[in-house]
Amino acid sequence: MTALSYIRRRVFGKSWPLLKRVILPTLALLFVVNALVGRRESVKQEYSNLIVPGEALDPILENNIELKSHKHHEAQASVAHASKLSSTQDHPKLAMPKPSPPVSQSSNSDSNSHSNKDSNSKAKTAKEKKEQHESDNIRNSAWSLAKANITDSHKVRYKGHAITENTVTLTLMSSSDKVFMSLNKREIYRNLQDRGIHAVVLNQHSGRVMSKRVFDTFNPGVEEEMVEFVDDVKDGRIIVFAVLDEASKGLTWRGRNKLRELGSRWSEKLAYRDMWALVTRKGGLKLAETYSNVATADTGYEWGGPVFLRTDFDLEEKDDECSWPSNERNEARRLFCRTNDGYGAMCDCDVTSWKDVFFQADEKLHKNLASKQLYKDLGIAIMATDRPHYLYRTLKSLWEAPGLNRDKVVVYADTQHQGILDVAKLFGVHLVVAKQQGNSSAICIRHKFQRILGDLIMAKFPKGTVPKEGTPEDNVPPFSCSSILLLEDDLEVSVDIFKYLHAVTPLMDRDPTILGISAFNFYGYRDVANNLTQLYRTNQVNNLALYLTSRVVHEELAPKWLPVDSTREWFRSLIDIMEEKPESAIVYPEVPRARHRAYRGATINGGIQYNLFRDHVLALTTDYRFEEEEIARLELSQYEAWLESTLKASTVSSFDFCKHDFAYGHNPVVMFVNYNNSKGGDTDWKYTMRCLKTWDIYVEAGWKDVWQFHYHGHLLSIVAYPTSSFSNLKPDTYNFMTAPPTTTTSTTSEPTPTSSASSKAPSAS
């Protein structure tokens, strides 16, 4: 017996056939595969600048270019660039001139374009050369795929996709604490702090960054802003999405469907703290996508593992400039749209006229309002931060409102943000850039308001209230005015805001107790804001979209201005004034003429906007007329009498709006609610407001603790008992509606005030 036979019988026994037919061939196959992989790695090390085109999930290129090779490629790029510049010097193109240095910058859309034609042409030529230089640098950089040492087997990844000088490589990283993007190894975006979906729009011709936005889709409602932004981006643009930290909690079917329209495969599966990145072409095909799930990520953390993505695409040769008719306004659009995107009709090639970008309201009304004194006296100041898309929306809504004096609009910005400069130049408004010092946003905003009032109304403030760095000595105000409308860049105004102001402002001359007029209403929800001509007085400050006159600023507000070291908001001065003078008031409309629309800011986030301001309505027409008696009754003496007579003529009710639907009608209704003006004494008031589906966070905009709305056709008055001076109108047998202690409602129901519904059981809400 041979040794082999002995081993086969005694050692392996019956397992020998398995060993011979399965295990030994498998080992041989593994040996061959290992040999081939080792050979491939040796080939990879041979080429130090190897770039494989197409989608990949490996990190940012690990290969380091040798210094000698890198310098050689840079020298080649410089020679090619110099040659291209010399050949294009005789062909200047229109380009956006460099913005003038701010501190005080103003422009007028209708002035002296012909006198500066030669200088503008030189500036445009220089700008065009700079843009061409940037585009050439991207195409001819050392990291261009056309210059990489690529093996023949990798030159064409897909059929018809050959590497050319226009091929660029986009690399990005998405993780729990960082989003990073680079194009041909040049950093184009980095963010280490903002949670949500980061969107970067690239020009498909030059690779230039056209827009950068962050959507905190962890909060509800923010996806609406993301969908609107994507819809406003021009077709053909490259859009890059990446997640930082978390982006799925507030992402519903609407946002996920929009991402799926862009070619996303994983947007529907994106879950809590998953990482995700997408590169796509608007109106075209997806370029690349990657995804990391928390459940499968081998990181040991509570987030999905970091994802790395690299893809290449070709820059298009032909530029996509719109062939609009040549005029000054279209030229401003053309310059703006070369460097910005996400502005909808403003950069739409099918919208050939500047006028067609805006909603066209009543031209006859505009001429009528322009003939009045307020048109000349009113100045509009907009406080802007680093949100150019919000500023654009505010200015656009102003441009659509008849009665706007476009020469008296000024934007006050904190920094020299390029997007803010571009939007201000596009609309031709005055721009003042002044960084305000302060340890909090409240202090900075107060100093900015102080600067605005000092510039436009020449207000003089007491010693100790003006910061040291205050207004520069050589400051030249953009214009002067005797009245001012204070706006923020996150407000949208209605088409009839100037009609509203022209109708109400004469009151301030007749009644000195009125300190201001607001276009905003905290209770401006669709269920309780229905009457366009209904106006109210309030002895509480409503500081949004506030109209002030020079008399109020000089005599009331400026002398009471807060000291520099105070941490209170600017409108606290108005609160102090109104507490000292109980009869003073601010007038506001039932249907708002301005609404809040920001999902991001220093004191705002998506959750606040979605829950508190998303359902606010806005006046949408100018086809109505204020009656003289509706304006006259806002004077103090008449308002008190009107309010008392209205309450006495109203049907008393303690109806539970949470339990049943309130019958429609036209007769006034009054309710009394327990309220003692303390922190814990507003429970019933909050419950009542919540049932009415209106503002219920804290008490706002009442007159002597009476709040009024139009609800289901009724003029509904809510009277606080016993703090209101009208509490004596409560019947002795009145049964209060009370808030439920937990989840059940313990209220005393009463028949509806209309006779037609009193005999019928109310329907469930």
Side-chain angles (χ1 to χ4, degrees):
M1 180 183 295
T2 63
L4 180 62
S5 299
Y6 178 81
I7 293 173
R8 185 178 61 183
R9 291 184 179 183
R10 298 294 182 180
V11 178
F12 295 102
K14 294 182 179 181
S15 63
W16 174 251
L18 178 65
L19 178 66
K20 183 175 66 173
R21 292 180 173 85
V22 178
I23 297 178
L24 290 179
T26 301
L27 292 176
L29 180 62
L30 290 176
F31 177 79
V32 173
V33 171
N34 185 53
L36 293 176
V37 171
R39 182 180 178 184
R40 182 177 180 182
E41 291 295 330
S42 64
V43 173
K44 181 177 181 180
Q45 294 176 2
E46 180 181 354
Y47 298 100
S48 60
N49 193 20
L50 176 64
I51 301 176
V52 180
E55 184 174 11
L57 298 184
D58 47 40
I60 299 174
L61 294 175
E62 298 175 355
N63 299 321
N64 296 320
I65 300 182
E66 296 179 3
L67 182 61
K68 182 178 179 181
S69 175
H70 182 65
K71 291 183 177 179
H72 174 69
H73 289 313
E74 282 190 343
Q76 286 184 343
S78 300
V79 172
H81 171 62
S83 175
K84 181 168 287 190
L85 279 182
S86 62
S87 64
T88 57
Q89 285 179 350
D90 298 330
H91 303 280
K93 298 181 180 180
L94 293 175
M96 187 179 74
K98 185 176 181 180
S100 58
V103 168
S104 181
Q105 173 182 341
S106 61
S107 58
N108 195 319
S109 59
D110 300 321
S111 63
N112 56 23
S113 60
H114 298 288
S115 61
N116 297 327
K117 185 175 182 181
D118 294 336
S119 60
N120 288 344
S121 177
K122 293 179 181 179
K124 292 174 184 177
T125 304
K127 183 67 175 180
E128 183 67 24
K129 289 180 180 180
K130 182 179 179 181
E131 291 180 353
Q132 185 66 32
H133 176 66
E134 293 176 356
S135 179
D136 291 342
N137 284 343
I138 292 176
R139 285 179 163 87
N140 299 322
S141 70
W143 287 93
S144 172
L145 287 180
K147 297 181 179 298
N149 191 3
I150 300 176
T151 61
D152 293 337
S153 61
H154 289 128
K155 282 188 176 180
V156 179
R157 173 74 177 273
Y158 302 107
K159 183 178 181 180
H161 187 181
I163 296 174
T164 68
E165 64 176 5
N166 294 325
T167 305
V168 295
T169 297
L170 175 71
T171 309
L172 69 86
M173 171 187 177
S174 170
S175 68
S176 61
D177 59 355
K178 178 190 293 185
V179 167
F180 176 86
M181 303 178 190
S182 66
L183 192 65
N184 275 1
K185 273 297 184 178
R186 296 186 176 202
E187 179 179 326
I188 59 174
Y189 184 77
R190 179 194 297 265
N191 194 298
L192 308 178
Q193 60 183 11
D194 294 325
R195 176 183 62 193
I197 296 178
H198 296 243
V200 176
V201 179
L202 303 178
N203 189 303
Q204 70 271 32
H205 307 286
S206 64
R208 180 172 187 166
V209 176
M210 305 292 288
S211 183
K212 295 181 287 187
R213 298 286 299 273
V214 181
F215 305 100
D216 185 10
T217 49
F218 175 83
N219 286 313
V222 182
E223 64 174 359
E224 298 177 3
E225 196 170 49
M226 182 185 71
V227 170
E228 181 181 354
F229 172 74
V230 171
D231 289 340
D232 287 341
V233 172
K234 291 182 66 174
D235 285 346
R237 298 291 192 219
I238 306 297
I239 309 181
V240 187
F241 296 96
V243 169
L244 190 153
D245 188 14
E246 212 294 308
S248 67
K249 188 175 180 181
L251 200 61
T252 66
W253 63 269
R254 187 181 181 193
R256 295 176 190 269
N257 284 354
K258 178 55 65 174
L259 295 174
R260 188 173 63 177
E261 289 177 10
L262 295 173
S264 174
R265 173 187 177 189
W266 300 105
S267 60
E268 293 183 350
K269 300 180 181 295
L270 189 65
Y272 186 66
R273 287 183 174 176
D274 287 349
M275 294 299 113
W276 168 79
L278 170 69
V279 183
T280 186
R281 189 184 298 271
K282 172 79 182 293
L285 298 177
K286 177 181 73 174
L287 299 177
E289 186 178 19
T290 183
Y291 172 69
S292 174
N293 184 275
V294 173
T296 59
D298 186 18
T299 62
Y301 298 101
E302 298 178 355
W303 286 267
V307 295
F308 301 89
L309 185 149
R310 188 181 72 228
T311 185
D312 63 284
F313 58 91
D314 292 338
L315 297 177
E316 299 177 5
E317 289 284 356
K318 186 179 179 181
D319 202 356
D320 65 340
E321 264 197 6
C322 300
S323 56
W324 294 319
S326 180
N327 55 59
E328 185 179 4
R329 288 288 83 208
N330 280 342
E331 184 62 23
R333 292 175 63 194
R334 186 174 289 108
L335 298 180
F336 176 78
C337 296
R338 282 178 182 169
T339 57
N340 298 275
D341 210 330
Y343 292 90
M346 182 59 69
C347 296
D348 190 344
C349 292
D350 294 332
V351 182
T352 59
S353 171
W354 167 270
K355 188 176 181 180
D356 294 337
V357 175
F358 307 96
F359 172 77
Q360 300 300 317
D362 190 352
E363 186 66 27
K364 183 178 180 181
L365 175 62
H366 175 76
K367 293 180 180 179
N368 182 30
L369 298 179
S371 63
K372 298 184 178 180
Q373 187 62 35
L374 182 63
Y375 179 86
K376 303 175 182 178
D377 296 340
L378 177 63
I380 300 172
I382 304 173
M383 295 197 308
T385 52
D386 59 347
R387 305 175 295 184
H389 286 82
Y390 288 171
L391 176 62
Y392 171 82
R393 184 171 57 200
T394 301
L395 288 171
K396 183 174 183 292
S397 63
L398 282 170
W399 251 243
E400 293 172 345
L404 171 67
N405 186 349
R406 299 178 181 179
D407 293 332
K408 289 198 171 184
V409 180
V410 59
V411 175
Y412 279 79
D414 293 330
T415 59
Q416 301 182 28
H417 190 282
Q418 188 60 48
I420 299 297
L421 299 177
D422 291 345
V423 172
K425 182 173 291 186
L426 171 68
F427 282 89
V429 299
H430 302 278
L431 176 64
V432 177
V433 179
K435 177 65 176 177
Q436 302 298 330
Q437 302 298 324
N439 298 326
S440 67
S441 59
I443 297 176
C444 294
I445 293 173
R446 189 180 74 234
H447 291 339
K448 186 183 290 187
F449 264 104
Q450 188 179 39
R451 171 74 182 272
I452 292 173
L453 297 178
D455 283 354
L456 305 185
I457 305 188
M458 309 301 174
K460 303 298 181 182
F461 297 91
K463 185 178 181 181
T465 63
V466 181
K468 294 181 180 180
E469 63 279 357
T471 304
E473 294 181 357
D474 58 347
N475 176 61
V476 178
F479 55 81
S480 62
C481 56
S482 58
S483 58
I484 186 172
L485 177 63
L486 300 171
L487 298 175
E488 299 178 30
D489 60 358
D490 51 12
L491 294 177
E492 179 184 15
V493 301
S494 67
V495 69
D496 67 329
I497 185 170
F498 296 109
K499 177 178 180 177
Y500 161 72
L501 290 176
H502 277 77
V504 183
T505 51
L507 272 173
M508 298 187 70
D509 297 329
R510 305 199 302 260
D511 186 356
T513 65
I514 298 178
L515 300 181
I517 298 171
S518 176
F520 187 83
N521 181 9
F522 283 93
Y523 301 98
Y525 296 82
R526 60 173 62 96
D527 287 340
V528 293
N530 304 293
N531 193 324
L532 286 168
T533 61
Q534 185 70 51
L535 308 173
Y536 303 107
R537 286 174 68 107
T538 176
N539 51 4
Q540 295 173 318
V541 170
N542 188 343
N543 60 294
L544 295 178
L546 185 61
Y547 168 89
L548 297 172
T549 63
S550 59
R551 177 190 65 82
V552 173
V553 172
H554 286 284
E555 299 178 7
E556 303 284 356
L557 188 57
K560 297 284 186 179
W561 201 259
L562 298 172
V564 174
D565 56 356
S566 175
T567 59
R568 304 171 72 197
E569 297 88 347
W570 75 270
F571 55 85
R572 295 293 175 178
S573 301
L574 272 178
I575 294 177
D576 295 339
I577 296 171
M578 300 184 78
E579 289 178 351
E580 293 176 3
K581 302 177 179 179
E583 304 303 326
S584 58
I586 289 177
V587 174
Y588 69 96
E590 180 175 293
V591 178
R593 267 60 176 188
R595 64 176 174 180
H596 191 277
R597 290 198 60 191
Y599 284 90
R600 180 178 67 89
T603 59
I604 200 77
N605 60 45
I608 295 176
Q609 170 65 25
Y610 182 82
N611 293 309
L612 302 185
F613 302 114
R614 176 175 175 264
D615 293 331
H616 272 199
V617 298
L618 196 67
L620 300 176
T621 180
T622 60
D623 188 18
Y624 64 90
R625 186 167 64 91
F626 283 104
E627 299 294 340
E628 182 61 32
E629 61 179 15
E630 293 176 318
I631 304 298
R633 73 184 178 203
L634 292 170
E635 297 181 32
L636 177 60
S637 57
Q638 298 188 43
Y639 194 78
E640 290 278 348
W642 171 80
L643 183 57
E644 183 174 7
S645 62
T646 300
L647 294 177
K648 288 181 178 179
S650 300
T651 303
V652 179
S653 174
S654 58
F655 187 82
D656 189 343
F657 301 98
C658 284
K659 277 189 171 183
H660 312 294
D661 282 336
F662 197 65
Y664 284 82
H666 299 287
N667 58 309
V669 179
V670 61
M671 292 183 62
F672 296 88
V673 177
N674 280 316
Y675 174 77
N676 59 13
N677 200 20
S678 64
K679 186 175 181 181
D682 59 354
T683 304
D684 292 345
W685 179 89
K686 288 184 176 180
Y687 176 72
T688 302
M689 296 301 178
R690 192 177 305 118
C691 293
L692 291 171
K693 299 179 182 179
T694 186
W695 180 270
D696 64 337
I697 308 303
Y698 51 83
V699 174
E700 277 285 0
W703 177 254
K704 297 186 177 180
D705 289 342
V706 177
W707 299 269
Q708 293 181 299
F709 337 92
H710 276 85
Y711 183 75
H712 286 196
H714 304 277
L715 178 58
L716 176 62
S717 303
I718 308 294
V719 181
Y721 182 88
T723 58
S724 175
S725 58
F726 299 97
S727 297
N728 60 324
L729 299 177
K730 182 188 75 70
D732 296 336
T733 59
Y734 185 80
N735 294 317
F736 290 98
M737 183 183 71
T738 58
T742 53
T743 58
T744 59
T745 306
S746 58
T747 62
T748 303
S749 61
E750 188 173 295
T752 56
T754 55
S755 58
S756 60
S758 61
S759 60
K760 299 179 181 179
S763 58
S765 177

